[in-house]
Amino acid sequence: QVQLVESGGGLVQAGGTLRLSCVASGSIFSINTWAWYRLAPGKQRELVASITSRGGTNYADSVKGRFTISRDNAGNTVYLQMNTLKPEDTAVYYCNADRIYMDWRQYKSDLWGQGTQVTVST
């Protein structure tokens, strides 16, 4: 059984820093693309950042230059380093793995973590 577990959220002042982590546990051969999404009240779910198995990254315009996504392949972990946080960054953040391979041909698609709350005060 494969599970994604997130941590690192909290309450910080504007300008502060948080680092989110998401760990994939279970029998895992490889993970295709990791992504971080966020959901704020009254807003649609937003793709914040993604990283491919080859290390290619993509960021929402609103976080470019402030957030950095990275992955630890050996530990099946993805991180989101969030610097210079703004009140508009307040949301529940979710990690997502689009495809997790158990071997060379068997995989599970579209796995989500439970979410971690990030609150940035003014």
Side-chain angles (χ1 to χ4, degrees):
Q1 185 176 4
V2 177
Q3 294 182 329
L4 306 184
V5 180
E6 298 152 325
S7 63
L11 173 63
V12 298
Q13 292 183 309
T17 296
L18 286 173
R19 189 174 82 150
L20 307 183
S21 300
C22 181
V23 180
S25 62
S27 181
I28 299 171
F29 176 72
S30 66
I31 298 174
N32 185 26
T33 299
W34 278 109
W36 287 97
Y37 291 81
R38 65 187 181 187
L39 181 63
K43 299 180 180 179
Q44 288 192 323
R45 185 180 63 190
E46 177 186 23
L47 175 62
V48 177
S50 64
I51 184 168
T52 70
S53 61
R54 297 182 64 183
T57 58
N58 187 48
Y59 297 93
D61 288 340
S62 60
V63 306
K64 286 182 178 178
R66 300 188 298 118
F67 290 10
T68 302
I69 188 171
S70 60
R71 64 189 298 164
D72 180 353
N73 291 326
N76 297 315
T77 304
V78 66
Y79 304 94
L80 185 67
Q81 179 69 39
M82 304 187 295
N83 298 328
T84 318
L85 283 161
K86 303 175 180 179
E88 50 263 43
D89 295 319
T90 296
V92 178
Y93 285 71
Y94 300 88
C95 63
N96 170 267
D98 72 334
R99 184 173 291 186
I100 299 179
Y101 284 85
M102 283 67 193
D103 54 39
W104 67 275
R105 67 173 183 172
Q106 297 188 76
Y107 61 88
K108 295 186 179 296
S109 299
D110 198 26
L111 275 71
W112 292 87
Q114 294 296 312
T116 184
Q117 177 70 49
V118 172
T119 303
V120 184
S121 63
T122 59

